Amino acid sequence: MPDLPEGSRLLYKVLAGSHATNLVTPTSDEDWRGVYQAPTRSLLGLQSPPETIQIPPDETYWELAHFARLCLKGNPNIMELLWTNHPVGSCPAWETSKFQQTSNVMDEIIAIRKSFFTQSMVAAYLGWVTKERRIMGNVEKADKLTGKRGSHLVRLLLGLQTALTEGHLPVWLEFADRDTVMAIKMGDMGYIEVLFLIDLLVERCKALALKANWPEPDPRAIEDIVIRARLEML
């Protein structure tokens, strides 16, 4: 149990990062991400509970309501948490139960995760990629930025492309997609080639988004889940 504010409950904890994407290298850290629920009483006082809690060395937890708002915004980090699935046997040193801890509240949110495939998600993904791509365009820093940043951007775009065409968000990479992203991460793909691939995927995702015509976000379903969870902790 992580060190959360007194009276809080842990709703979700999952092994994230390279362990969740099938991009582990010998230097990969274990990144844990999750969701916690502050006691309802703490929302009625003078000080609001923290929206995000970071616990060294590599744990991050979002408070339930903040997490819900990020779901509606289509935040890439949050979207991937909803679709993270560690295949059995992917990390033999770990028991399956240690990959992920969940709750009824999070199970309900995960059950409606496709409802977060919205215009906001497309904007969030492409906005993030555009900002990071601009940084990568700084040729003076190209060698330092291409591997980790480039692989992350290509992975996000491949995920968005699949979401737009197949209706699910792949986090665990396999086959050609994994080969491509790992090649970028390990520095086996040139700087210009990486930038070209990013630009190509951006344009492809824009075209697919127009065709898919995803809706605007609707907060009603997830807000109902949050309200019922709050009432349970009164």
Side-chain angles (χ1 to χ4, degrees):
M1 177 73 177
D3 186 17
L4 299 176
E6 184 178 355
S8 300
R9 65 176 177 177
L10 179 65
L11 299 178
Y12 192 61
K13 180 178 180 180
V14 66
L15 183 60
S18 57
H19 288 276
T21 58
N22 197 21
L23 297 172
V24 176
T25 67
T27 59
S28 295
D29 297 324
E30 288 177 3
D31 299 314
W32 292 92
R33 301 289 180 265
V35 182
Y36 86 98
Q37 182 181 346
T40 303
R41 183 178 176 84
S42 69
L43 303 172
L44 306 176
L46 300 179
Q47 293 185 335
S48 299
E51 292 185 336
T52 305
I53 295 175
Q54 294 184 316
I55 302 173
D58 294 301
E59 294 185 57
T60 302
Y61 299 90
W62 291 271
E63 208 283 321
L64 175 60
H66 184 52
F67 181 83
R69 288 190 290 268
L70 292 175
C71 285
L72 293 169
K73 291 179 179 178
N75 179 285
N77 290 324
I78 301 305
M79 289 296 98
E80 292 200 339
L81 285 190
L82 297 176
W83 291 86
T84 294
N85 177 33
H86 294 275
V88 175
S90 61
C91 298
W94 289 81
E95 297 176 10
T96 303
S97 61
K98 291 184 178 179
F99 289 133
Q100 179 174 303
Q101 300 174 40
T102 189
S103 62
N104 290 338
V105 175
M106 274 305 301
D107 289 345
E108 284 192 59
I109 293 175
I110 289 172
I112 63 168
R113 61 190 176 181
K114 287 188 178 182
S115 70
F116 307 128
F117 285 175
T118 65
Q119 297 286 348
S120 292
M121 177 179 166
V122 174
Y125 269 68
L126 295 183
W128 175 261
V129 169
T130 298
K131 181 181 71 173
E132 294 293 296
R133 166 63 174 81
R134 190 176 300 117
I135 295 172
M136 282 187 67
N138 184 338
V139 179
E140 294 178 3
K141 299 180 180 179
D143 292 339
K144 296 181 180 179
L145 297 177
T146 301
K148 186 173 182 179
R149 183 175 261 116
S151 64
H152 181 59
L153 298 186
V154 169
R155 187 176 63 76
L156 288 181
L157 290 167
L158 288 172
L160 178 60
Q161 176 180 262
T162 300
L164 287 163
T165 55
E166 300 179 21
H168 68 94
L169 183 64
V171 176
W172 182 268
L173 294 178
E174 295 182 296
F175 311 119
D177 284 351
R178 181 188 183 277
D179 293 342
T180 297
V181 176
M182 183 60 85
I184 298 171
K185 183 175 181 178
M186 302 306 294
D188 296 331
M189 187 178 292
Y191 172 65
I192 299 300
E193 189 177 2
V194 173
L195 293 183
F196 177 80
L197 179 57
I198 291 171
D199 293 343
L200 177 65
L201 288 170
V202 165
E203 293 306 312
R204 187 178 298 167
C205 285
K206 287 180 179 179
L208 290 170
L210 288 174
K211 184 177 180 180
N213 193 28
W214 281 353
E216 294 295 331
D218 184 345
R220 289 174 294 181
I222 194 168
E223 186 174 43
D224 179 64
I225 294 171
V226 172
I227 290 173
R228 283 189 282 109
R230 297 292 193 213
L231 290 175
E232 288 176 6
M233 289 190 71
L234 272 178

